[in-house]
Amino acid sequence: MRRLIRLLATGVTAALWAGSVHAQTAASAEGWRQLARADLDAAHALILENHPGAVPELGDESFRQRMRLGYDTALGRIPAVDGYAGYTAVLAGFATSFGDEHVWSNPRLRGVPYAWAGLVMTRRGGTWVVAARDGDDQSLVGARLASCDGEPAEAVAAARLAFRVSAPVEAQYIAHGGFMFVDDGNPFLSRPRTCVFESADGPVSVEMEWRPVATPRLAEALNAAAGGARAGFGVRRSGDQWWIAMERLSDEAAAVVDSFEAQAPDWRDSPALVIDLRGNGGGDSRHGRRLADVIYGADHTAARLRGGTACAALWRASPGNAAHVRAFAARAQDPQTARYYETLADDIDRAIAEGRPFDEPVPDCAPGEPTAAAAPAPAYQGRVFIVTDHACFSSCLLMVRDFRTLGATHVGEATNVSTRYMEVREIVLPSGLTNFSTLQKVAIGGDADIGPFTPEHVFPGQMSDTTALEAWIAGLPPQP
């Protein structure tokens, strides 16, 4: 998940383009429609020819239906395209139709004009709240949105964020909610005219005053309201608790697990461990599994985590995926990793030559059930907390699923949701204006969706306030 709101121009060329993007003539409008159709067809082909879910033999009719409906809806929007904003909206809508944030449309052009109503919204406790207001009048800050133009707040959010949110889950609303009253020129959205807010003094009706906003000012306001949290990396003590911070499942996380394992004599008898995953958007799930082995013991985790896990992982056999894997092998610094991916690329090539859709046959397998009764006792007897915020996505979700299964207490903020599809690959669409992504690999026999996970205890404050979070966790009631 992209953590920061990025609105600024990426270079001189983009800035110059931005000045001419909205110069509308009949000829330029037709040109934008042609660009939209060409790039949409390329994005559709990328998914159709490379994504595992598009293969009929896999049997994911829900995915295939999403692909058909998303493409047809995007085609239906093209006649209304008359400029860059409509072009980007067509592609964004197609991407979000898959319900998976691994599939994205990422415009390469920045610095285009924005307008706003001066109100930055955020999601708190399942409601929409004013996080910030432009200008001197701050009376609405903290007020809850009730409706706009007679539509309830949830319907307003669903419509206004439809081109940014791929699934109606709390984590994505938290991440993108600041855009509710921002206008990027999308011709398929209408600006609310009058909104009603519930303040401490009662209902307040507000005439929405839309006006241009400079992109640096907008980015500053949205990022401040988002309140993104970062766990960092490391092992430390907080009172009688040990904190293990892993902001990403990366090489830094591996070093954290090494350090934590080396300190086992010091933390083994402590009353509680806190695994801090704030800001963690994924990475290599093996780091999370290794941490679980260090805490609970490898025999215990092996027995407890049999249920819900995949029995196989298959790569979609396509020339593009094979080339991507081979390029990854060429960049790998570790010889063993390079050999693995070279062999995988050869397997994909062989499957293509034999007319098979995947690098291996699709197995008929079912995961085993959890065997808690037969599992040996966990090596650590204290309480384990796992902390997430809305950034938790992809492999972070796998880690949270595993630790919840192992008995950890989930606290903090709700996570995002992911699917059984993996391994992102991104291309530049024919116009050169947009990157579009697909997935290349599928887990067989596991959960169709991973997450969203709602904490057992939801933190009532700002997730970026580490001091308050530490005190709050230390004060949570003991396990029943």
Side-chain angles (χ1 to χ4, degrees), residues 107-134:
R108 295 161 63 85
L109 174 63
R110 310 290 182 183
V112 296
Y114 288 89
W116 72 341
L119 294 171
V120 179
M121 304 301 295
T122 191
R123 189 79 169 166
R124 291 179 188 165
T127 63
W128 290 103
V129 175
V130 178
R133 188 178 190 183
D134 189 42

Side-chain angles (χ1 to χ4, degrees), residues 99-100 102 393-395 397 416-421 448-452:
D100 186 343
H102 284 113
F393 184 54
S394 195
S395 294
L397 296 169
N416 207 333
V417 61
S418 189
T419 69
R420 59 178 176 157
Y421 299 111
D449 293 320
I450 303 102

Side-chain angles (χ1 to χ4, degrees), residues 217-242:
R217 170 68 186 114
L218 178 60
E220 177 187 28
L222 293 178
N223 284 323
R230 293 179 178 272
F233 296 92
V235 178
R236 60 185 174 83
R237 293 193 66 169
S238 175
D240 58 1
Q241 297 177 342
W242 284 77

